[in-house]
Amino acid sequence: MIAIRALEEKIQSEGQVFAGNVLKVSSFLNQQIDTAFLLEMGKEIARLYEGSGVNKILTVEASGIAIAVAAAFYMGVPVVFAKKGDAKNLSSDRFCAEVRSFTKGTVNVISVDRAYIKKEDKLLLIDDFLADGNALKGLLNIAAEAGAEVVGAAIAIEKGFQKGGDAIRSEGVRVESLAIIDKMTDTEILFRPQD
Amino acid sequence: MIAIRALEEKIQSEGQVFAGNVLKVSSFLNQQIDTAFLLEMGKEIARLYEGSGVNKILTVEASGIAIAVAAAFYMGVPVVFAKKGDAKNLSSDRFCAEVRSFTKGTVNVISVDRAYIKKEDKLLLIDDFLADGNALKGLLNIAAEAGAEVVGAAIAIEKGFQKGGDAIRSEGVRVESLAIIDKMTDTEILFRPQD
């Protein structure tokens, strides 16, 4: 609860809204990282999923990594991050999913080496943002391909007005967002009340 | 010292060598992250740079982020990560540098919003790998453009035989690598002795 309220205040004071529903929070979350604050968010995610049996965190490069690592520190589990595109040192034996990037306007393939997700795994999916839900759907597809259980998802900032989170919740996936923005204009940011 | 020896053992037991001097350590460092081990590496970096006055860590997405965050936790400083390429939510007012990727064979532009590096900053540059030194040179160029002081660099794994680290050291930059590989074949990995 402290982390949620603190995150809302931080978005209000440091967030900048740009045309096309772009919220810039790069002063503390996804370019410059406020380390102490990141730890608080990680602790809150660990609290939300306490006792849920999560044994691994799955995220996607790049800006999901920091918050995934912070949560992993408190949960005592490893992190796996999906990579975008191809590289010489990527194995060909990979779980793959297509993801449309909201901010970049491109379609990426994200993939994870099959060695790092097992069907016995109980996964927590983590990302910094949830808007249309495309990245999260990609991670859900990778988990499904691996036959692993998804215990739930944890997001720093959800753009509730873009409905991706609600669509995924309606399919029975537990989605916990530390802040949910229901309305965003140049002059005001309104948050969805949460317990 | 414990972290250095442990990292060498981990590379010996889990690292895989592929054609073209590619070392795959994605089981614990740059795809799957062994969280407890990552913390040990972060703690060792903090010890190496204790009392050096570092006030900010600069790294580059994606695989530098986890180890940068781990070091930042122990050093109590923020992390800034350079981004690759362009996106709608990137400001046009950025420090930029070109970086050739050893594993991908491409040239990327990396950049940091000018708001996040000040000329008063005393930077520690962190990355997971140092081979030809191109990523580190890119970060050095960004720091120079910002007029910030570089206290030094900390790397998880240096491929000493590719000489990038030695070239940068010869220019007077402090470069601390937790493991330096001097020779690497399909059957053996030899490390440079370190104090």
Side-chain angles (χ1 to χ4, degrees):
Chain A
M1 289 303 296
I2 291 167
I4 289 172
R5 206 146 30 214
L7 178 56
E8 292 181 356
E9 285 165 12
K10 202 130 173 123
I11 294 167
Q12 292 283 15
S13 63
E14 298 187 31
Q16 295 172 277
V17 179
F18 291 93
N21 285 328
V22 172
L23 173 66
K24 185 175 168 185
V25 286
S26 44
S27 68
F28 66 94
L29 185 62
N30 53 14
Q31 163 123 211
Q32 181 165 253
I33 296 165
D34 180 329
T35 308
F37 193 76
L38 184 77
L39 281 172
E40 285 304 308
M41 291 195 289
K43 194 187 290 184
E44 175 67 5
I45 291 170
R47 189 190 68 75
L48 288 164
Y49 281 95
E50 199 174 356
S52 64
V54 167
N55 78 324
K56 194 173 282 178
I57 288 170
L58 177 63
T59 186
V60 56
E61 67 179 14
S63 48
I65 295 174
I67 187 165
V69 163
F73 288 164
Y74 289 102
M75 299 177 79
V77 300
V79 173
V80 172
F81 63 90
K83 297 202 174 198
K84 290 173 183 163
D86 291 324
K88 272 199 264 175
N89 59 347
L90 295 187
S91 153
S92 57
D93 198 15
R94 301 176 70 76
F95 300 120
C96 297
E98 286 195 347
V99 173
R100 183 174 297 276
S101 164
F102 174 73
T103 42
K104 297 194 184 182
T106 55
V107 176
N108 279 302
V109 173
I110 65 169
S111 68
V112 176
D113 192 312
R114 285 173 184 264
Y116 305 132
I117 309 182
K118 305 292 185 190
K119 65 178 189 299
E120 302 79 33
D121 281 333
K122 294 165 77 76
L123 301 174
L124 173 60
L125 313 182
I126 291 189
D127 209 355
D128 58 337
F129 266 98
L130 168 57
D132 292 333
N134 293 319
L136 191 50
K137 281 177 208 159
L139 293 177
L140 285 164
N141 287 341
I142 283 176
E145 208 192 334
E149 179 186 341
V150 173
V151 175
I155 305 292
I157 302 173
E158 177 179 341
K159 291 172 173 169
F161 56 88
Q162 284 182 248
K163 305 295 180 196
D166 292 335
I168 291 166
R169 287 184 188 96
S170 74
E171 290 168 16
V173 179
R174 179 180 175 191
V175 180
E176 301 278 0
S177 297
L178 301 184
I180 303 178
I181 298 171
D182 268 341
K183 190 180 170 193
M184 189 172 86
T185 69
D186 289 0
T187 52
E188 71 175 354
I189 297 175
L190 293 181
F191 295 97
R192 186 179 302 177
Q194 298 195 72
D195 294 334
Chain B
M1 289 302 296
I2 291 166
I4 288 173
R5 206 145 34 215
L7 178 56
E8 292 180 356
E9 284 165 13
K10 201 131 174 124
I11 293 167
Q12 291 284 15
S13 64
E14 298 186 30
Q16 295 172 278
V17 179
F18 291 93
N21 285 327
V22 172
L23 173 66
K24 186 177 169 183
V25 288
S26 44
S27 67
F28 65 93
L29 186 60
N30 53 16
Q31 163 121 213
Q32 181 165 252
I33 297 164
D34 179 330
T35 308
F37 193 76
L38 184 78
L39 281 173
E40 285 303 307
M41 291 194 290
K43 195 187 288 183
E44 176 66 5
I45 291 170
R47 190 191 68 76
L48 287 164
Y49 281 95
E50 198 175 356
S52 64
V54 168
N55 77 324
K56 194 173 282 179
I57 290 171
L58 177 63
T59 187
V60 55
E61 66 179 15
S63 47
I65 296 174
I67 186 164
V69 163
F73 287 164
Y74 289 102
M75 300 177 79
V77 300
V79 172
V80 172
F81 63 92
K83 297 203 173 196
K84 292 173 182 163
D86 292 322
K88 271 198 265 175
N89 59 347
L90 297 186
S91 152
S92 57
D93 198 14
R94 303 176 70 77
F95 301 119
C96 296
E98 285 195 348
V99 174
R100 184 173 297 276
S101 164
F102 175 73
T103 42
K104 297 194 184 183
T106 54
V107 176
N108 278 303
V109 173
I110 65 169
S111 68
V112 177
D113 192 310
R114 285 173 184 264
Y116 305 132
I117 308 183
K118 304 294 185 188
K119 64 179 191 300
E120 302 79 32
D121 281 333
K122 295 165 77 76
L123 300 174
L124 173 61
L125 313 182
I126 292 191
D127 210 355
D128 59 338
F129 267 97
L130 169 56
D132 293 332
N134 294 320
L136 190 50
K137 282 177 208 157
L139 293 177
L140 285 164
N141 287 341
I142 283 175
E145 208 191 334
E149 179 186 343
V150 173
V151 175
I155 305 292
I157 303 174
E158 178 178 341
K159 291 172 173 170
F161 57 88
Q162 284 181 248
K163 305 295 180 194
D166 292 336
I168 291 167
R169 286 184 189 96
S170 74
E171 291 168 16
V173 179
R174 178 180 176 191
V175 180
E176 302 278 0
S177 296
L178 300 184
I180 303 179
I181 297 171
D182 268 341
K183 190 180 171 193
M184 190 172 87
T185 69
D186 288 0
T187 52
E188 72 176 353
I189 298 175
L190 294 180
F191 295 97
R192 186 179 301 178
Q194 296 195 75
D195 294 333

